[in-house]
Amino acid sequence: MAIFPRTTTEAPAAPPAAVRLPALRHLGPNWYATVMGTAIVATAGAALPLDVPGLRTACLAVWALSAVLLVVVLAARAGHWLLHPEQARAHLLDPAVAPFHGCLSMALLAVGAGTLVVGRDLIGHPAAVAVDVVLFSAGTLTGLATAVVIPYLMVVRHRPAHGSASPVWLLPLVAPMVSAAVGPLLVPELPPGQGREALLLACYAMFGLSLLATLVVLPLVFARLVHEGPLPLALTPTLFLVLGPLGQSTTAVNQMADVAPGAIAAPYASAFGAFAVLYGVPVMGFALLWLALSAAMVVRAVRRGMRFTMTWWGFTFPVGTCVTGAAGLARHTGLHAFTWLAAALYALLVAAWVFAGLRTLGGLVSGALLAAPGPLRRVTVRTT
């Protein structure tokens, strides 16, 4: 069989598309945090039990920005998988990066909820419901898959070092809790009967799924802090991620209590209302304790030279869930203390969002945030 050499007149092969878009190579799933952190500013502002002139209009503008960000990041991440599949697979096999895949689900859910809460002012109620149905369905299915796949990879492929438990591990586990918190918004949109009750109880099941998984991981995180000392400076903001399941679970029980009377028969409907207060108040108390501890650790890290990284977006979405949780408790208890707590936390959320957004924009303009990361520690994976 003759083998013909290539002639010099043959046109050279076109360079791979990946070479033409190097900026996408290192764009990881953590970028969905920008969508989450922006969307929660809109929904948390709309949930505040205060009448602030112009706040609704501002929340609508922020929601629109979050929707645009979702489209942009989805497209960029699709390009990452298409043009750099080896890097995308490496992210799944890196125990430090893999948990961030849970952010995709939460980004979809956050924008979907924002569409129904504030976006309806712009696009109308029927369109808002349709958008939320699509994003809620996609976000819930993605979140449930991530809650299984990432822990599976941690068990059979990753080999995190002893004492390396991180708050980041909570990200794939808290996604179903976000579904539990925003799913009740769709309950009244269903006709009375089986559909409403099934969706309500499905949200309750996802609440339990996420809560019990969090109770498994959180002790590992605290034990790591006690026995190994503070997190590295760049990872210190991830301590705020613990607020996510705390605030989101409080939001979930209050949201479910709001719609229970029209979805489930007595005495369970009234039980949902009682549980919202009996569960939400102590959990919000623990959330405030963790907020104080995390803030102290962040101050320590700043004094030791902590610089801005994408982990600073951890100051946004978790705090926003505490805003919606406190607002829900204000509705069900009538206490002004929870109203002012929600307002104070919202001020903190907006300040963190503005700072993180401006620094991210600056990092994109300079190219620093899309550059290749520094040398990473060696990751050993199981082959069986």
Side-chain angles (χ1 to χ4, degrees):
M1 180 178 182
I3 301 178
F4 297 95
R6 294 179 60 181
T7 66
T8 56
T9 59
E10 182 178 351
V19 175
R20 298 196 297 270
L21 291 173
L24 294 182
R25 181 173 183 82
H26 303 289
L27 192 141
N30 58 324
W31 278 86
Y32 286 114
T34 63
V35 182
M36 298 159 52
T38 302
I40 197 67
V41 172
T43 52
L48 282 179
L50 293 171
D51 185 12
V52 180
L55 179 60
R56 181 81 181 185
T57 302
C59 289
L60 180 60
V62 174
W63 163 79
L65 176 60
S66 72
V68 172
L69 284 175
L70 177 61
V71 173
V72 171
V73 178
L74 281 173
R77 284 289 297 160
H80 173 81
W81 273 94
L82 179 64
L83 303 176
H84 305 280
E86 78 294 340
Q87 186 66 35
R89 288 191 293 268
H91 283 167
L92 279 173
L93 295 179
D94 186 342
V97 180
F100 284 99
H101 286 85
C103 293
L104 167 59
S105 167
M106 292 184 279
L108 295 169
L109 293 166
V111 174
T115 303
L116 193 52
V117 172
V118 294
R120 64 186 182 189
D121 295 350
L122 180 64
I123 66 175
H125 186 78
V129 171
V131 171
D132 191 27
V133 167
V134 172
L135 294 181
F136 174 76
S137 301
T140 298
L141 292 175
T142 304
L144 291 173
T146 304
V148 174
V149 171
I150 300 303
Y152 174 83
L153 289 175
M154 293 179 70
V155 172
V156 303
R157 296 298 301 271
H158 302 165
R159 194 183 294 275
H162 178 72
S164 65
S166 165
V168 173
W169 290 8
L170 292 170
L171 287 173
L173 305 177
V174 76
M177 186 67 80
V178 180
S179 292
V182 304
L185 294 172
L186 291 171
V187 169
E189 306 298 333
L190 295 173
Q194 289 281 324
R196 284 188 179 184
E197 184 174 353
L199 179 55
L200 176 64
L201 293 183
C203 291
Y204 197 38
M206 289 186 287
F207 162 83
L209 179 161
S210 182
L211 177 64
L212 295 177
T214 298
L215 293 178
V216 170
V217 173
L218 189 54
L220 301 178
V221 174
F222 188 71
R224 181 256 178 266
L225 294 174
V226 171
H227 295 294
E228 305 294 333
L231 295 174
L233 295 183
L235 294 179
T236 301
T238 64
L239 289 170
F240 274 66
L241 297 179
V242 175
L243 297 175
L246 302 176
Q248 200 66 274
S249 63
T250 304
T251 301
V253 294
N254 282 278
Q255 292 286 81
M256 289 187 286
D258 288 339
V259 300
I264 195 168
Y268 301 109
S270 59
F272 271 92
F275 182 66
V277 176
L278 294 177
Y279 173 87
V281 172
V283 170
M284 183 57 64
F286 179 69
L288 294 177
L289 170 65
W290 192 270
L291 175 61
L293 174 64
S294 301
M297 299 297 292
V298 167
V299 170
R300 174 187 179 276
V302 169
R303 295 177 63 182
R304 284 163 172 74
M306 181 180 70
R307 297 183 178 182
F308 175 79
T309 65
M310 289 296 289
T311 60
W312 285 50
W313 281 95
F315 296 140
T316 57
F317 190 80
V319 174
T321 66
C322 293
V323 175
T324 54
L329 289 174
R331 289 197 308 273
H332 288 102
T333 64
L335 288 178
H336 297 308
F338 285 117
T339 298
W340 293 112
L341 174 61
L345 290 172
Y346 188 69
L348 176 62
L349 166 63
V350 172
W353 174 69
V354 170
F355 183 82
L358 291 176
R359 295 301 298 269
T360 300
L361 185 60
L364 284 172
V365 172
S366 67
L369 291 180
L370 295 177
L376 299 176
R377 60 178 174 80
R378 183 182 299 272
V379 177
T380 303
V381 299
R382 298 178 185 173
T383 57
T384 58

